[in-house]
Amino acid sequence: MEKMHQFDHDQGGSSNQDQPRQLNFPQHIARSYTKLSSSYRKRHSLDCKTQQLFILSHSEDPIDLLKNVQVQAILGPPRSTQADFVIDIGNKAEVPIISQSASPSLSPKESRYFIRSAQCSSFQAKAIAAIVKAFGWREVVFIYEDNNYGSRIVPFLTDAMLEINAFIPYQSIISPSATDDQIRQELYKLTTMQSRVFVVHMLPSLASHFFLRAKEAEMMTKGYTWIIADVLTSLLDSVDSKVIDAMQGVIGLKAHIPKSNELENFTRRWRKKYWEENPDTDRLDLNVYGLWAYDTVTALATAVEKVGTVVPRFKKPVTRENSTDLDAIGTSNMGPSLVESEYIPWETPDGTYNELVYQIFLENYDAVVGDVTIVANRSRFVDFTLPFTESGVSTIVPIKNDERKNAWIFTKPLTMDLWSTIGGFFIFTGLVVWVLEHRVNKEFRGPPAEQIGMIFWFSFSTLVFAHKEKVVSNLSRFVVIVWVFVVLVLTSSYTANLTSMLTVQQLQPTITDIYDLIKNGEYVGYLYGSFIPGLLMGMKFDSSKFRNYSTIEEYHEALTRGSRNGGVAAIVDELPYIRLFLAKYCHKYTMVGPTYKAAGVGNHMEPTL
């Protein structure tokens, strides 16, 4: 692998202050692996002459290694431009290439024999955007190296900023060979801009000069915000102390390494071994790349142990007159076995996700690929990958019947109590007007049957303002004026409500709050084997009201029966499964209540340290 520089700290003007001492973490770890590791039946010395594995540095020719040494796996190089060339050779020779290159341009999906042993740099884009959003910054300037390393992350950062409505007024591109004057000139241009938030993506060599010049330009003071990407943050231990002083106040992202007893024990053993071999060096701590290198070597040793020795190492092709050195190499007999995985389905009928995770802790499986939610208690036993989908917990409930299909829908705009009240006032108003008019108005006189009919007719005719009887009493006129106004309000309200019911689809849930399920003592369903029961019991649900199901069809059947008929009133599940369910039954059910966030869904494996 390419060598990483560790600069000496300032020691009072020592003449060697600017001379880097070189340390190659992966090569040193590989040499120390046999003495550090005690968990394998066979100790593997990762030497090209014994176990056919090789750590590639600048001086080695990969074609020569494959042709003459016949290595079966190559670790490195970390640079994307170099790795792209070596990966192409590995594909043709069917030899695994394991690289810490984080460039998004290199994808393991496109090459069976390429294995990335570091996080892809594109993953940090959303984390940087989250910082910008949390502080409410609206403008951000990108500053990056003028090469593939610097530019490949820019599209991902741009998309992440657009999602949070952050504006990118300018992108500053710095050449890796830029002089101090050129850097000063670019910094001066930045000071003339309104934005004071900068995201820097550089390697330590260029970043050291850049931040020293930024401090000279008084841009490391209050009012400026600097965010650096993960590579620079992880390699700050290789930067001179003067640069560290100049970078005070900078926000840096780096991969999180959870503390554990295994990590502490390994770090202690590694330091002891390193100091035995390098007694004159300063204190040195393993950064994330050193830990990833150890994990890589461990994984390779495990794979070699399982595959065993393969003879002959390469399958020679039929020689031709114009064949190149690469054509003459042939294909590895061991390489395909090193990258193959044995997939074993989890077929235990009564098994739960927690039990599946625990199988990794018991070393019955190396990894689990599936829809396993990242929760705290599982993280105590295994390591998770980055989540491949968002997660959260919500509730599914049935939708009330569509009232538009009801023949009596014209009665729905008003409640029964209101209908009864209106009917009573119709009769009362007609009676009052009759009492006031029948002594002085001939139109309100006649046989008893006609007078009773007049009482009902007069009031109901006012609904459409069709009454033709004249009123002569002032009191009667006052009563009619008030009643006509009330009728106007009632008819307008009724018309509006009925129109809304007939034109707008009414997707009203039967339950609007998850806590209503507790109050009403309803039964609740969940996916068998999931962590949902623990979550519900933490919300004070009665565990006797839980019912588990295994398919979305069983969800549908249980919700159809209802809580009183052997089913459930609601289903509590994770968002990916809820979306899958609603995609099939969107007209019958809906999602309600708050969404309780989870860490996501990911794959997991046994910790290697």
Side-chain angles (χ1 to χ4, degrees):
M1 267 190 173
E2 190 179 29
K3 295 180 180 178
M4 180 175 65
H5 301 289
Q6 173 73 26
F7 291 90
D8 290 327
H9 293 291
D10 186 7
Q11 298 179 356
S14 171
S15 60
N16 296 328
Q17 177 177 334
D18 295 327
Q19 297 296 323
R21 55 183 175 88
Q22 296 177 335
L23 174 64
N24 191 314
F25 272 134
Q27 288 186 357
H28 178 80
I29 289 178
R31 292 195 305 269
S32 306
Y33 174 77
T34 301
K35 297 182 181 181
L36 289 175
S37 178
S38 59
S39 60
Y40 296 94
R41 296 187 297 273
K42 298 178 182 179
R43 301 283 185 94
H44 295 281
S45 174
L46 299 187
D47 183 79
C48 62
K49 295 181 180 179
T50 57
Q51 292 298 334
Q52 308 98 41
L53 310 178
F54 201 87
I55 299 178
L56 190 65
S57 63
H58 286 298
S59 59
E60 281 81 24
D61 179 6
I63 296 180
D64 179 68
L65 293 174
L66 294 170
K67 180 179 179 181
N68 299 321
V69 185
Q70 293 190 336
V71 297
Q72 298 299 308
I74 296 177
L75 275 71
R79 294 289 183 91
S80 60
T81 52
Q82 301 166 332
D84 193 18
F85 171 72
V86 177
I87 290 169
D88 186 54
I89 296 175
N91 286 336
K92 294 180 179 179
E94 297 185 2
V95 171
I97 308 298
I98 307 175
S99 173
Q100 288 189 348
S101 173
S103 173
S105 63
L106 302 177
S107 173
K109 296 180 180 179
E110 300 176 359
S111 173
R112 177 185 177 188
Y113 293 94
F114 169 48
I115 302 172
R116 195 197 305 274
S117 59
Q119 290 181 348
C120 182
S121 60
S122 61
F123 284 123
Q124 63 185 312
K126 290 188 178 297
I128 294 174
I131 295 175
V132 173
K133 181 179 180 180
F135 285 94
W137 296 318
R138 308 309 305 168
E139 292 188 358
V140 179
V141 172
F142 294 160
I143 306 174
Y144 55 90
E145 287 192 25
D146 188 12
N147 53 27
N148 287 337
Y149 164 78
S151 62
R152 291 285 169 81
I153 193 179
V154 172
F156 300 95
L157 283 172
T158 302
D159 291 342
M161 294 302 166
L162 289 176
E163 290 180 3
I164 62 171
N165 298 320
F167 178 57
I168 306 167
Y170 181 69
Q171 295 182 18
S172 176
I173 306 174
I174 309 294
S175 171
S177 58
T179 63
D180 288 348
D181 288 339
Q182 291 173 329
I183 294 176
R184 290 189 186 97
Q185 184 178 359
E186 185 64 22
L187 288 171
Y188 174 76
K189 184 187 298 184
L190 295 176
T191 59
T192 63
M193 298 180 182
Q194 183 177 0
S195 178
R196 291 293 185 266
V197 180
F198 307 105
V199 175
V200 180
H201 186 49
M202 298 178 180
L203 290 172
S205 55
L206 179 59
S208 299
H209 296 286
F210 180 83
F211 279 104
L212 286 174
R213 304 292 83 79
K215 185 175 182 180
E216 291 177 0
E218 298 183 352
M219 296 180 66
M220 304 303 295
T221 58
K222 185 177 180 180
Y224 291 90
T225 300
W226 299 88
I227 304 174
I228 58 177
D230 65 335
V231 173
L232 178 56
T233 307
S234 299
L235 298 179
L236 283 178
D237 56 350
S238 66
V239 175
D240 188 87
S241 60
K242 290 184 178 179
V243 180
I244 297 296
D245 291 339
M247 295 177 65
Q248 293 301 312
V250 172
I251 302 173
L253 278 78
K254 64 184 298 185
H256 173 62
I257 306 174
K259 295 182 179 180
S260 65
N261 293 331
E262 293 83 358
L263 176 61
E264 184 178 349
N265 293 335
F266 167 75
T267 304
R268 183 171 58 253
R269 288 185 283 119
W270 185 86
R271 286 175 181 168
K272 179 180 179 182
K273 177 61 182 175
Y274 178 78
W275 285 336
E276 287 176 357
E277 296 182 358
N278 305 272
D280 298 330
T281 59
D282 296 334
R283 173 185 174 90
L284 183 67
D285 292 327
L286 273 175
N287 59 29
V288 66
Y289 296 102
L291 297 175
W292 284 342
Y294 179 81
D295 288 348
T296 302
V297 174
T298 303
L300 268 177
T302 305
V304 170
E305 179 180 333
K306 291 183 177 181
V307 174
T309 303
V310 178
V311 179
R313 297 180 183 177
F314 277 78
K315 184 188 302 180
K316 294 296 182 180
V318 178
T319 57
R320 299 176 182 176
E321 293 183 0
N322 298 325
S323 62
T324 63
D325 287 344
L326 182 58
D327 295 330
I329 293 173
T331 56
S332 171
N333 287 322
M334 179 187 287
S337 300
L338 291 176
V339 297
E340 286 182 353
S341 299
E342 179 184 5
Y343 294 96
I344 304 173
W346 176 249
E347 296 180 334
T348 304
D350 297 327
T352 65
Y353 280 87
N354 287 337
E355 293 173 357
L356 176 58
V357 170
Y358 196 64
Q359 294 301 313
I360 298 180
F361 180 75
L362 298 177
E363 299 185 0
N364 293 330
Y365 300 117
D366 296 318
V368 167
V369 179
D371 53 344
V372 182
T373 305
I374 303 172
V375 292
N377 63 323
R378 294 173 182 171
S379 299
R380 294 184 300 173
F381 303 102
V382 298
D383 287 337
F384 282 88
T385 64
L386 292 172
F388 57 79
T389 184
E390 65 172 338
S391 183
V393 177
S394 194
T395 308
I396 311 170
V397 297
I399 297 173
K400 294 179 181 179
N401 292 330
D402 192 350
E403 297 291 349
R404 294 179 300 175
K405 300 178 181 179
N406 191 336
W408 293 91
I409 189 174
F410 67 89
T411 65
K412 300 299 182 179
L414 304 178
T415 64
M416 290 305 299
D417 291 340
L418 186 55
W419 278 120
S420 301
T421 303
I422 292 173
F425 270 99
F426 268 107
I427 299 173
F428 177 75
T429 302
L431 181 61
V432 170
V433 173
W434 177 81
V435 170
L436 295 174
E437 290 291 324
H438 83 283
R439 293 182 181 178
V440 295
N441 193 336
K442 294 180 180 181
E443 295 185 4
F444 285 85
R445 298 175 185 175
E450 291 184 6
Q451 295 186 47
I452 294 176
M454 178 62 69
I455 292 174
F456 285 98
W457 160 254
F458 184 85
S459 297
F460 283 95
S461 64
T462 56
L463 282 174
V464 292
F465 309 102
H467 51 285
K468 61 181 180 178
E469 294 79 12
K470 295 182 179 180
V471 292
V472 297
S473 171
N474 289 333
L475 289 176
S476 298
R477 291 170 180 172
F478 175 76
V479 171
V480 171
I481 290 173
V482 173
W483 176 242
V484 169
F485 178 76
V486 172
V487 168
L488 177 64
V489 173
L490 286 174
T491 53
S492 300
S493 177
Y494 176 86
T495 303
N497 290 340
L498 182 60
T499 302
S500 175
M501 295 179 67
L502 292 174
T503 58
V504 180
Q505 188 176 9
Q506 301 295 308
L507 297 180
Q508 296 297 327
T510 55
I511 295 175
T512 58
D513 193 332
I514 190 172
Y515 289 101
D516 291 339
L517 300 170
I518 302 176
K519 298 176 183 177
N520 301 333
E522 302 284 3
Y523 282 89
V524 178
Y526 65 92
L527 181 65
Y528 176 78
S530 71
F531 68 97
I532 298 298
L535 175 66
L536 294 177
M537 286 188 288
M539 298 169 64
K540 308 303 182 184
F541 271 85
D542 183 359
S543 59
S544 64
K545 298 293 184 179
F546 294 166
R547 288 173 175 164
N548 60 75
Y549 304 97
S550 300
T551 65
I552 60 175
E553 289 75 19
E554 291 180 0
Y555 279 3
H556 169 57
E557 183 180 352
L559 288 169
T560 301
R561 289 198 305 264
S563 184
R564 302 293 185 263
N565 298 308
V568 295
I571 296 289
V572 179
D573 207 343
E574 297 178 75
L575 292 181
Y577 312 115
I578 289 178
R579 294 192 182 104
L580 181 64
F581 177 81
L582 293 179
K584 186 174 182 180
Y585 301 104
C586 59
H587 298 295
K588 296 182 179 180
Y589 307 99
T590 187
M591 185 170 64
V592 300
T595 298
Y596 301 93
K597 290 295 183 181
V601 177
N603 303 320
H604 52 286
M605 66 289 295
E606 181 183 3
T608 55
L609 290 180

